[in-house]
Amino acid sequence: MAAARATGLKKRQQIAAANRSMFIWVAIASIIVAFALVGGQLLLQQLIFNERVLNEKRNTENILTDNLKAADELKEGVNVLLANEDLAAVRAKPTDTNLRVVLDALPARIDSLNLGSSLQSVFLAGTVKSIERLTVDTLDDSAPTDNAGAVQDASQDDDSSQPKEIGFSFTVSGDYNNIRNALLALERSIRPIQVVSLSIEGSDRNLTAAVQAKTFYQTGKKVELKDKTVRP
């Protein structure tokens, strides 16, 4: 009987020791699995972040490549303008370049004062005898623009690529020839001018013409490199 009890006690002790060992190994395995899961998640996040960085680099490279191609095409276009004889014939000064003529014809910003002065010069050069009133619209073109991204694509089309309008009006009086000379003077202007409305009243020798017209300007593109932070 005593031997049987001793044997049973020894077995229970062995079972308890085996249970403790199993618990310890399960705890160790659980810790290892937890560290593995956390480490795997961190590695996955790092891989995703690295891929985002590589995508931004590839995007920047593609934009720079497109801009280099656009720059070559722009250079060829500028060379063609520099050799254009029609532009050379309408230069305001002999020392001006053909590019100056293009900028005068389609400026990069609203220039109401210069436009008014230019129109007066054009009318005087066109032998117009009397301009009673000349008004040029003034607009606010100083609104800031938001350039997002690391590189601005110079070949990308947006609203700034479309010419914008500047309205003006004038009143001219006199005989038929005076009004005719005023309209012909607009045709001789280097700037593109579109007559919106023309109202003429009076007698044959004393006419008054009210003209509503518009010209255009085109905002320039700004190309610059910027730093862009990619966050994980």
Side-chain angles (χ1 to χ4, degrees), residues 24-231:
I24 292 173
W25 283 110
V26 170
I28 293 174
S30 299
I31 293 173
I32 292 174
V33 171
F35 275 108
L37 291 176
V38 172
Q41 185 178 9
L42 292 176
L43 287 175
L44 181 60
Q45 291 178 349
Q46 187 65 33
L47 288 174
I48 295 175
F49 172 69
N50 289 339
E51 185 62 25
R52 288 175 56 196
V53 172
L54 291 176
N55 285 336
E56 289 294 338
K57 289 183 177 181
R58 285 191 289 266
N59 183 50
T60 300
E61 182 181 4
N62 292 335
I63 291 177
L64 289 175
T65 301
D66 293 341
N67 285 348
L68 288 175
K69 293 179 181 178
D72 292 337
E73 296 176 359
L74 179 61
K75 184 178 180 180
E76 293 178 1
V78 170
N79 290 335
V80 171
L81 292 177
L82 289 174
N84 190 293
E85 295 181 356
D86 293 332
L87 291 176
V90 294
R91 289 181 297 184
K93 300 177 182 178
T95 55
D96 289 344
T97 65
N98 289 1
L99 296 182
R100 180 73 263 172
V101 177
V102 175
L103 293 177
D104 289 341
L106 195 63
R109 62 179 61 88
I110 295 175
D111 57 344
S112 302
L113 183 60
N114 291 336
L115 175 60
S117 176
S118 174
L119 289 173
Q120 288 181 350
S121 300
V122 167
F123 286 138
L124 292 176
T127 64
V128 180
K129 296 180 180 179
S130 174
I131 293 291
E132 295 184 355
R133 181 180 60 85
L134 175 61
T135 304
V136 180
D137 295 344
T138 56
L139 302 173
D140 183 12
D141 193 41
S142 59
T145 57
D146 182 15
N147 293 326
V151 180
Q152 180 69 31
D153 186 356
S155 63
Q156 183 179 2
D157 290 332
D158 53 21
D159 293 340
S160 65
S161 65
Q162 301 299 323
K164 300 179 181 179
E165 300 177 359
I166 308 176
F168 67 92
S169 62
F170 65 91
T171 302
V172 56
S173 61
D175 56 14
Y176 167 79
N177 288 329
N178 193 48
I179 295 176
R180 177 175 177 274
N181 289 337
L183 297 177
L184 290 176
L186 293 181
E187 292 185 3
R188 287 190 293 268
S189 173
I190 188 61
R191 300 189 65 155
I193 294 177
Q194 208 174 73
V195 175
V196 178
S197 65
L198 171 63
S199 174
I200 301 177
E201 59 183 14
S203 61
D204 293 341
R205 295 185 179 181
N206 187 17
L207 297 172
T208 299
V211 180
Q212 293 278 349
K214 60 184 178 181
T215 185
F216 306 89
Y217 74 99
Q218 184 173 7
T219 55
K221 284 184 175 292
K222 184 178 181 182
V223 181
E224 59 182 353
L225 295 177
K226 289 185 175 181
D227 294 330
K228 182 177 182 179
T229 302
V230 181
R231 302 186 182 277

